[in-house]
Amino acid sequence: MPNLPTPAIQPAAPNYLTTALFSLVSAIAVIGVPVFGYVYGYSWLDWTLFGVLYVVTGLGITVGYHRLLSHRSFDCPSWVKAVLLVAGGWALENSALKWAADHIRHHAACDHAADPYNATRGFWYSHCGWLFYKDANAHDKYASRLRQDSIVMWQHRHYWMIVLSGLGLTFVAGFLYDGWISGLGCFLLAGVGRVFAVLNSTFCINSVCHLWGRQPHSQADSSRDSWLVSLLTFGEGYHNYHHTHQSDYRNGPRWYNFDPSKWLIFTLFKLGLASSLKTASSAPH
């Protein structure tokens, strides 16, 4: 682990609601999912939905929450934005308004006290520990631009209904396939288990990609490139490049870099569903 400066830490009150929710999801994923699998097993539908929803919700975060809203790396029609934000909402990573505001602040105060997932406080804090405390450094100025977006505010108002619709979809699919037990199994694996997997892959960007890896583009902060994390997060592991060129719609700039998020954005561009793609030169395509 690199030697990073120790930040001034503000006292923070526990966030009991988030702690309880994260603990519940983790307990079900780590204990409930394997126990159910041992007793009843999982069907092809359960595993297929797990994979499909991992991709859909992961891209909802990387393309919708991250590159579209936080960094304005491209533009798209309102209905495309709404689809991306629903997919991101299914990941259970908070509303797009809260997520993007936190991420904008992360870039503005990286490695300092106001950084919401400050890697200088260690792996576990930057990975998930920051969730368990109320944020003493939160400031509404980071959300001011986002609050002017009607789609963002629509998703924020209906966030919990969106979350429940994603989880409910897995139960309904399993129930229609083979009854109550099948519905419960699909809910556990493709619903809660998949949420746990997406959460932790995303958290690796905050933790692993600020502690271990290469810094070929800049050493201005602790950000690092990790091709392994990119495999889990649809290209987000090229984090040192991203911190150096924040508005670039590509996190992996080379054609051979594994970055499905940039491929999706470019495909939308070719279909006329995205515009103003920004690169490191800030020149729209």
Side-chain angles (χ1 to χ4, degrees), residues 6-233:
T6 302
I9 299 174
Q10 297 289 332
N15 189 329
Y16 294 111
L17 178 60
T18 301
T19 300
L21 181 59
F22 184 79
S23 299
L24 178 63
V25 169
S26 299
I28 293 174
V30 174
I31 300 172
V33 169
V35 167
F36 185 94
Y38 178 78
V39 175
Y40 296 101
Y42 291 109
S43 70
W44 68 268
L45 176 66
D46 303 332
W47 287 109
T48 299
L49 268 183
F50 176 93
V52 169
L53 289 176
Y54 184 94
V55 173
V56 168
T57 57
L59 288 171
I61 295 294
T62 63
V63 175
Y65 278 31
H66 187 213
R67 304 191 195 188
L68 175 61
L69 293 186
S70 300
H71 296 291
R72 295 182 283 185
S73 298
F74 68 101
D75 294 325
C76 64
S78 294
W79 73 267
V80 175
K81 182 187 295 184
V83 169
L84 290 170
L85 297 196
V86 168
W90 284 354
L92 193 60
E93 295 191 14
N94 222 317
S95 71
L97 175 68
K98 181 66 167 61
W99 194 104
D102 282 346
H103 190 74
I104 293 168
R105 177 157 55 97
H106 164 66
H107 280 275
C110 186
D111 301 331
H112 293 85
D115 184 348
Y117 18 88
N118 191 344
T120 67
R121 299 183 64 174
F123 172 81
W124 285 112
Y125 182 85
S126 59
H127 190 74
C128 61
W130 61 279
L131 294 169
F132 307 147
Y133 300 94
K134 294 181 179 178
D135 194 342
N137 295 292
H139 197 295
D140 197 56
K141 69 180 181 181
Y142 296 103
S144 58
R145 165 174 63 81
L146 300 164
R147 289 188 181 279
Q148 299 174 32
D149 188 316
S150 61
I151 305 299
V152 170
M153 297 309 297
W154 167 81
Q155 195 252 20
H156 182 70
R157 289 192 302 271
H158 300 286
Y159 171 69
W160 284 110
M161 289 299 298
I162 291 171
V163 169
L164 293 174
S165 71
L167 293 173
L169 172 66
T170 61
F171 177 82
V172 170
F175 175 78
L176 292 176
Y177 176 69
D178 196 24
W180 290 98
I181 296 297
S182 179
L184 178 59
C186 196
F187 169 79
L188 288 173
L189 182 65
V192 181
R194 179 264 314 165
V195 163
F196 182 77
V198 174
L199 284 172
N200 280 279
S201 65
T202 304
F203 294 162
C204 284
I205 303 164
N206 305 333
S207 56
V208 174
C209 288
H210 278 273
L211 294 172
W212 301 287
R214 298 171 59 248
Q215 292 185 299
H217 305 286
S218 173
Q219 296 183 358
D221 56 41
S222 64
S223 62
R224 284 162 164 75
D225 284 354
S226 170
W227 66 268
L228 180 59
V229 174
S230 284
L231 296 181
L232 300 173
T233 60

